[in-house]
Amino acid sequence: MILADEIEHGMSGQEIHDNLYKVAQETGLDGKQVFETVYMALLGLKSGPRAGHFLASLDKDFVVKRFKDVNL
């Protein structure tokens, strides 16, 4: 729930984007894997719009709940 907790505190699109790479580093995952996981959790697709700005445009509570539901 690393991503959910970070987003819950409020972040800009660029901060979210940068944080996705930070999470990838901290977890030992490839950045692509982290982005695919985000897109799958929200869109059911392996890719989508620029993740940070996309997430920032959505309702924060929705994103946090969804990420907590899928343990991101």
Side-chain angles (χ1 to χ4, degrees):
M1 293 192 306
I2 297 168
L3 290 173
D5 292 340
E6 293 288 332
I7 291 171
E8 193 167 31
H9 291 103
M11 303 172 91
S12 71
Q14 187 61 52
E15 289 171 324
I16 293 170
H17 184 82
D18 294 342
N19 195 48
L20 291 172
Y21 282 109
K22 180 180 137 198
V23 168
Q25 267 187 333
E26 290 174 357
T27 59
L29 296 172
D30 181 282
K32 182 179 178 183
Q33 291 174 302
V34 172
F35 283 91
E36 283 183 2
T37 302
V38 166
Y39 295 130
M40 288 300 292
L42 295 172
L43 302 172
L45 303 169
K46 286 189 173 187
S47 64
R50 188 168 162 100
H53 298 287
F54 173 61
L55 293 173
S57 73
L58 298 174
D59 178 72
K60 182 177 71 169
D61 293 334
F62 165 76
V63 173
V64 169
K65 182 181 181 328
R66 184 69 183 134
F67 282 5
K68 285 184 178 183
D69 288 348
V70 296
N71 203 27
L72 286 176

